[in-house]
Amino acid sequence: MSDFKELKETAYRSNMRLPELGLVLFTFGNASAADRDREVFAIKPSGVPYEELRVEDIVIVDFDGNVVEGDMRPSSDTETHAVLYKHWEHVGGIVHTHSTYGTAWAQTQKDIPIMGTTHADHLTQDIPCAPPMSDERIQGDYEEQTGYQIMDVFEDRGLSYEEVEMVLVGNHAPFTWGKTAKKAVYNSAVLEEVAKMAYLTLQINPEAPRLKETLIKKHWERKHGDDAYYGQEN
């Protein structure tokens, strides 16, 4: 029996949530779950349709991108996941999709602006769009460089990956993460919904204003602040 049975099951459940939530079509995406104590993560095998995916197909990879366990080739995006896990120590799960609205925004090379309180319930910043990578990076280890491209935009803008758990990669698609794989999947669904809302808002009114700071602060703090009152007490 695999030493990574529970981790594989977590990754499997996370991957299967993506088509359930309408975030992937065919094989357009992947999710991974990390075991930080053992410095490994479980990820979907490359090119396997979701309806055919089994727990035992999930591949275990270390933070350098080396396969530790599994008979199948891991996702083509494995190196991107590995870079983020290796450098961002509080990430426990990562999701990559080509969801329609998130990907459309990525293809415009524009951030998703914070225009409403739904967005502010989850983060206080625009969702950043990393610029398309240089030709030199593209011609190198493309998937590994995608990880560094994500990290670079956070460093350049002074953003915290623990506060902003999502990004667009220019001309590519969204990536999200969280302390757990379940949270990464949740963030992926949030990104897609916020992307859709922002698109529709600007279709209705191309001059629609950005959400004002007092509302951003209020909606963030009522859910995440020291005196948060959203939801039920534990």
Side-chain angles (χ1 to χ4, degrees):
M1 182 178 292
S2 170
D3 291 335
F4 302 102
K5 184 175 184 294
E6 185 175 346
L7 186 63
K8 286 186 173 186
E9 289 176 347
T10 298
Y12 172 79
R13 289 194 301 270
S14 299
N15 275 283
M16 295 308 291
R17 282 292 285 154
L18 301 183
E20 289 173 4
L21 291 167
L23 297 173
V24 299
L25 180 69
F26 302 126
T27 61
F28 299 179
N30 47 75
S32 67
D35 181 331
R36 301 211 65 96
D37 291 335
R38 293 194 276 185
E39 296 188 339
V40 297
F41 61 96
I43 193 166
K44 180 183 179 290
S46 180
V48 176
Y50 284 89
E51 63 271 19
E52 298 177 13
L53 187 64
R54 304 172 302 166
V55 173
E56 53 266 36
D57 296 332
I58 300 295
V59 185
I60 303 296
V61 183
D62 68 21
F63 289 178
D64 290 314
N66 302 307
V67 173
V68 173
E69 180 180 296
D71 297 325
M72 305 186 80
R73 182 184 301 165
S75 166
S76 58
D77 297 299
T78 293
E79 290 289 346
T80 306
H81 291 241
V83 166
L84 298 180
Y85 283 128
K86 189 169 185 176
H87 291 88
W88 287 352
E89 62 180 344
H90 299 298
V91 171
I94 297 171
V95 171
H96 173 49
T97 74
H98 287 249
S99 59
T100 303
Y101 287 88
T103 301
W105 276 98
Q107 290 176 175
T108 70
Q109 301 181 24
K110 291 185 176 182
D111 299 350
I112 301 175
I114 183 167
M115 306 195 74
T117 59
T118 309
H119 188 142
D121 281 339
H122 297 91
L123 67 162
T124 62
Q125 308 282 337
D126 296 350
I127 299 172
C129 183
M133 67 177 66
S134 66
D135 291 347
E136 182 180 11
R137 278 185 161 181
I138 293 169
Q139 292 163 2
D141 189 332
Y142 174 68
E143 288 77 18
E144 180 183 40
Q145 291 303 319
T146 299
Y148 288 110
Q149 190 78 353
I150 292 169
M151 291 174 57
D152 285 351
V153 75
F154 273 70
E155 182 177 353
D156 292 346
R157 300 196 191 187
L159 298 174
S160 166
Y161 74 87
E162 293 182 82
E163 294 178 7
V164 181
E165 296 179 322
M166 53 190 72
V167 71
L168 307 175
V169 176
N171 295 121
H172 188 174
F175 282 83
T176 64
W177 51 87
K179 291 183 179 179
T180 65
K182 184 177 181 179
K183 182 64 187 305
V185 171
Y186 174 85
N187 286 337
S188 188
V190 167
L191 183 152
E192 178 65 3
E193 195 65 18
V194 168
K196 182 178 181 179
M197 290 177 180
Y199 165 75
L200 292 173
T201 299
L202 292 171
Q203 290 299 300
I204 295 167
N205 179 10
E207 304 302 321
R210 190 176 187 273
L211 187 63
K212 61 183 182 179
E213 289 298 324
T214 49
L215 274 173
I216 294 173
K217 183 177 180 181
K218 180 64 176 179
H219 273 261
W220 173 259
E221 291 189 347
R222 74 174 190 157
K223 201 167 186 178
H224 307 282
D226 293 337
D227 298 317
Y229 57 88
Y230 178 89
Q232 303 301 313
E233 294 182 3
N234 293 326

